[in-house]
Structure formats: C-alpha cells, structure tokens
Amino acid sequence: MSITREKKQEVIGEYRQSESDTGSSEVQVAVLSHRIKALTEHLRTHQKDHSSRRGLLQLVSRRRRLLNYLHRTAPETYRSLIDSLSLRR
C-alpha cells in the first residue's frame, strides 16, 4: 500500500529544487501523488477496505490544498508540476 523508502527518495530527488530540499510544496505533492497511486491500486483489489479508502480521501484532500497553495503563489510551477505528474487530463 505505501511506497518504499527507496521510491520515496527517488521521487524527492526528482522534484527537489536544491540539495537539501525535502519538504517544498512540489516535493510534497509528488510524494502524495505516488502514495495516492499505490493506494488506488490497493483499493482496486480490496473494494471493502473502507479505512484505506478514508485515508485515500484524506491524501487527495491534502494534495488538493497544496496544489491550491501552489496555484496562488507560483502559477508557473503549478502548471509544470501538474504536467509532469499528469494530474489533469
């Protein structure tokens, strides 16, 4: 269900802006997106796992709030992030 430490470090390395960046909004959105994808796959096989579904909804809400913040403060970064993560169709 959750992503491994190695996968998380790989995602952080891909989206960080400086060498010591681990908590910027872009990194947080990318990590949340990968967690959401993993949890979505889990819920496809375990439809009755309602506690995990609730956790998924919380992750989606947290990602939405971070994306709203990015859209307000740095629109160009927001556009490039949603393109690279393919969040919009």
Side-chain angles (χ1 to χ4, degrees):
M1 265 186 334
S2 63
I3 60 175
T4 62
R5 178 179 292 175
E6 293 81 19
K7 182 63 177 171
K8 185 175 181 178
Q9 290 301 320
E10 179 183 319
V11 170
I12 289 172
E14 184 178 343
Y15 288 96
R16 69 181 174 196
Q17 297 175 355
S18 67
E19 194 61 35
S20 62
D21 180 20
T22 58
S24 67
S25 300
E26 297 88 350
V27 171
Q28 291 182 50
V29 169
V31 170
L32 283 172
S33 294
H34 285 281
R35 286 182 64 193
I36 288 169
K37 286 179 187 174
L39 201 50
T40 303
E41 289 303 315
H42 167 78
L43 287 172
R44 285 203 175 119
T45 58
H46 302 93
Q47 291 90 5
K48 295 185 179 186
D49 189 355
H50 296 295
S51 57
S52 291
R53 189 172 308 279
R54 180 176 183 269
L56 173 67
L57 292 175
Q58 289 174 338
L59 291 176
V60 170
S61 296
R62 189 182 317 165
R63 182 178 70 181
R64 182 77 250 157
R65 285 192 304 269
L66 283 167
L67 285 171
N68 286 340
Y69 167 76
L70 266 178
H71 186 63
R72 278 194 323 268
T73 59
E76 193 56 43
T77 306
Y78 169 79
R79 283 187 209 97
S80 66
L81 187 63
I82 62 172
D83 286 341
S84 67
L85 291 172
S86 63
L87 294 179
R88 306 287 172 155
R89 293 180 192 182

